[in-house]
C-alpha cells in the first residue's frame, strides 16, 4: 500500500517549482523535459460568461517527415492501435483513422489531443505512455494515410441538402 511521496520527494518537487525556502521563491522554473502540450480549447465546452479561455495552437514538428511517417507506422502496430482501429487505421472496433473523417476534429492538434488525452467511450490516453514526441509521431503517420475514394460508412458530419 502506497502512502504517497516521501518528504524529500515533496521538498524536491516544491523546490523545482520555485516554492522552496531560502529565497528560491523567485527562481525561474525550468520546464519539464516532456511537460506535454499547452491547454487546448474545445468549442463544445460550456464557458462562463460565454468566453472560452485562450489556448495555444499545437503545431506538428514532424509534418511531412518520411522518417517519422515510417516510425509512426511501426509505433501504430507496436502500441496495438491496430487492435482497435484495424490494419493501416482502416477501422474495426474503433473508427477508421484513414477515411479522412474525424469525430473530434482532424487538425494535427485535434488528433494530438485525442491520442494524448484520450476520448470518452473507449479511447485511452496515451500521452503518459508515449510523451509528446511519440504522439506527434503517430499524428504524422495518421496524416500520411490516403483516404479511400469511396467510404462505405456514414459521415459524422451532417450535411444539408439543397434539393
Amino acid at each position: 500500500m502506497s502512502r504517497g511521496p516521501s518528504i524529500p520527494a515533496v521538498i524536491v518537487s516544491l523546490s523545482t517549482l520555485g516554492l522552496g525556502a531560502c529565497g528560491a521563491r523567485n527562481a525561474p522554473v525550468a520546464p519539464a523535459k516532456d511537460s506535454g502540450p499547452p491547454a487546448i480549447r474545445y468549442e463544445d465546452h460550456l464557458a462562463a460568461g460565454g468566453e472560452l479561455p485562450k489556448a495555444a495552437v499545437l503545431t506538428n514538428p514532424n509534418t511531412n517527415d518520411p522518417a517519422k511517417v515510417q516510425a509512426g507506422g511501426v509505433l501504430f502496430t507496436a502500441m496495438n492501435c491496430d487492435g482497435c482501429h484495424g490494419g493501416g487505421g482502416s477501422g474495426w472496433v474503433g473508427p477508421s483513422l484513414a477515411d479522412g473523417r474525424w469525430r473530434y476534429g482532424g487538425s494535427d492538434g485535434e488528433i494530438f489531443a485525442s491520442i494524448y488525452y484520450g476520448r470518452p467511450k473507449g479511447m485511452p490516453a496515451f500521452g503518459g505512455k508515449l510523451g509528446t514526441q511519440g504522439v506527434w509521431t503517430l499524428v504524422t503517420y495518421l496524416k500520411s494515410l490516403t483516404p479511400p475514394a469511396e467510404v462505405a460508412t456514414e459521415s459524422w458530419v451532417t450535411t444539408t441538402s439543397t434539393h
Side-chain angles (χ1 to χ4, degrees):
M1 183 166 154
S2 176
R3 300 177 124 192
S6 65
I7 297 298
V10 171
I11 292 170
V12 169
S13 295
L14 292 175
S15 65
T16 60
L17 292 173
L19 301 175
C22 302
R25 188 170 297 170
N26 295 324
V29 178
K33 188 174 185 179
D34 191 344
S35 60
I40 300 168
R41 183 167 96 172
Y42 296 103
E43 301 301 325
D44 291 340
H45 285 173
L46 180 62
E51 290 292 324
L52 287 170
K54 297 200 182 322
V57 174
L58 299 179
T59 304
N60 186 347
N62 306 323
T63 301
N64 300 322
D65 182 339
K68 293 294 184 177
V69 169
Q70 183 177 7
V74 171
L75 189 57
F76 188 83
T77 303
M79 293 304 296
N80 199 30
C81 302
D82 57 354
C84 290
H85 295 287
S90 60
W92 189 60
V93 175
S96 172
L97 303 174
D99 64 6
R101 298 181 306 198
W102 301 91
R103 289 183 184 178
Y104 299 99
S107 73
D108 287 7
E110 291 164 328
I111 297 168
F112 179 96
S114 292
I115 299 169
Y116 194 91
Y117 294 112
R119 295 293 181 180
K121 300 179 183 172
M123 177 63 190
F126 282 92
K129 193 74 165 167
L130 295 174
T132 55
Q133 289 306 313
V135 174
W136 280 127
T137 301
L138 282 174
V139 170
T140 304
Y141 167 70
L142 294 174
K143 293 296 281 195
S144 76
L145 300 175
T146 305
E150 285 190 35
V151 181
T153 59
E154 293 182 31
S155 174
W156 288 95
V157 179
T158 57
T159 59
T160 55
S161 176
T162 58
H163 294 6

